[in-house]
Amino acid sequence: MKRVLSILLLILCCSLVAAQEARRPAFRWGLEWGYGVTAFKYWSVNYLDSSVGYRVWDENHAFQAKSTAFACICVGADVSRKANLSMQLGMMGIDKDREVIPVGIRFNYSFRGTDADGPMAFFGGGLGFPDHFTTAAVHYANIGGGYRIRLSSLWDIDFLATFRLCDDHPPVRDPESGEYVNESNIRKNVTAYCSLALGVAITL
Amino acid sequence: MLAATSDDREFNSFTLYADMSEVFAGRSSRPGAKFNFSRNIMILDIEPQEKEDFSLFAGAGVSAGWVQDYGRQGFGVAAALSGSFGANLAFPERHILITVAATLEAGPWIHKDKGEYNMFLYRSGIYQGIYPHISISYLFR
């Protein structure tokens, strides 16, 4: 009887060990691109007009439809059977004549597992580095969802919808002179965007 | 749309594009439309690996459309000869084909300005040749 119980206990222990065996993180990399619309813009600008010596203050918001696009490379790892953490680097348009180089992270949760077809949700954020005018980085955060199709044991394709919030410090143009205001004369320059984007990601 | 010929190493492609180049650059809010026909030949077909089938192809064809040109205002008619080089990654079990290709187009862009027709070299067809395009297609068979 003791022997039977010992054998049963050993079998149970083996099962528990097998169930709790640590999953090695699966390294993934991919390419993501998409098209979006910047639908809402808020700005607050305060600068000194050096030609006449008075301060200009402009604060307002507007609903708009400015087309943007993005493309990025994603590198990450599966932290669990359903979750993935990745870093992104690429190019992203945030408004008319404004594009940045985003560097960010994203947490992705696949409801049926990262290795299966099914819906997914994600959130993330990071910094965007403009290529001209100012070195101040753009901050962005996004949230969204999508659907994954498992093409093979190596390839996946994701169809994604993203809502993005972004704050920027774009060049300020004086409406009367048409010239860009010198950065040393700007006391406050904050612009925020809300955008919606549809994208596709192919991951390996 | 891709249509294979009786020789499986050759296939025709018929593609209707929304020309978004000036839209993505923020210089315009309206896309153009362009059609391309290309006769393609598979130059390398790797034996099917597990569930995917990889091949390289090259082709030549013609393009025509109502599009904008790089650095120019307004829409015009573009008519060009095209050359393509790319790779196909097919997943027959999932009925999905992913194509990565670069296409160079050379031809005129005709634009009407103040009642006069002007003809220019279609710059976008050459500049966009360095940007590969990725397409995702559904395989009916």
Side-chain angles (χ1 to χ4, degrees), chain A residues 78-98:
Chain A
D78 288 345
V79 296
S80 74
R81 194 179 69 85
K82 294 185 178 181
N84 176 275
L85 191 63
S86 63
M87 287 193 63
Q88 298 178 312
L89 173 69
M91 286 294 295
M92 179 172 75
I94 55 176
D95 197 25
K96 188 178 187 302
D97 295 329
R98 286 294 286 171

Side-chain angles (χ1 to χ4, degrees), chain A:
Chain A
M1 188 61 183
K2 271 190 183 176
R3 188 180 292 178
V4 171
L5 284 172
S6 301
I7 292 170
L8 277 172
L9 190 61
L10 280 170
I11 291 171
L12 277 173
C13 287
C14 289
S15 302
L16 283 171
V17 167
Q20 293 175 9
E21 180 180 353
R23 291 181 73 254
R24 295 173 60 188
F27 178 76
R28 292 179 184 265
W29 64 275
L31 188 64
E32 182 178 336
W33 70 95
Y35 168 77
V37 174
T38 298
F40 179 81
K41 180 178 176 180
Y42 162 85
W43 65 94
S44 179
V45 178
N46 188 328
Y47 64 90
L48 182 66
D49 188 333
S50 57
S51 61
V52 292
Y54 60 79
R55 190 178 296 278
V56 177
W57 175 62
D58 181 20
E59 182 174 356
N60 210 334
H61 65 274
F63 290 95
Q64 58 181 27
K66 290 286 190 278
S67 301
T68 58
F70 67 92
C72 61
I73 296 170
C74 310
V75 175
D78 288 345
V79 296
S80 74
R81 194 179 69 85
K82 294 185 178 181
N84 176 275
L85 191 63
S86 63
M87 287 193 63
Q88 298 178 312
L89 173 69
M91 286 294 295
M92 179 172 75
I94 55 176
D95 197 25
K96 188 178 187 302
D97 295 329
R98 286 294 286 171
E99 60 274 352
V100 297
I101 299 171
V103 179
I105 58 171
R106 188 164 80 187
F107 177 80
N108 198 330
Y109 185 81
S110 301
F111 293 92
R112 294 182 191 163
T114 58
D115 294 336
D117 291 4
M120 60 200 321
F122 60 85
F123 67 90
L127 300 176
F129 298 95
D131 56 359
H132 59 272
F133 183 74
T134 173
T135 56
V138 163
H139 303 90
Y140 72 93
N142 51 46
I143 188 169
Y147 194 87
R148 167 163 290 180
I149 296 175
R150 185 129 179 100
L151 300 173
S152 72
S153 61
L154 288 177
W155 298 87
D156 297 320
I157 186 167
D158 302 334
F159 297 94
L160 307 168
T162 308
F163 174 76
R164 186 190 308 128
L165 285 173
C166 185
D167 89 300
D168 187 17
H169 312 279
V172 178
R173 191 190 291 270
D174 183 62
E176 291 190 4
S177 65
E179 304 275 329
Y180 284 117
V181 177
N182 198 306
E183 199 171 348
S184 61
N185 291 336
I186 298 174
R187 298 293 176 260
K188 182 183 180 184
N189 177 16
V190 174
T191 301
Y193 310 101
C194 292
S195 61
L196 298 168
L198 297 177
V200 177
I202 296 175
T203 56
L204 183 65

Side-chain angles (χ1 to χ4, degrees), chain B residues 22-42:
Chain B
E22 297 297 296
V23 177
F24 288 157
R27 291 188 287 267
S28 174
S29 59
R30 290 181 298 155
K34 186 167 60 176
F35 175 79
N36 173 269
F37 164 76
S38 183
R39 176 83 173 181
N40 304 295
I41 300 173
M42 275 189 204

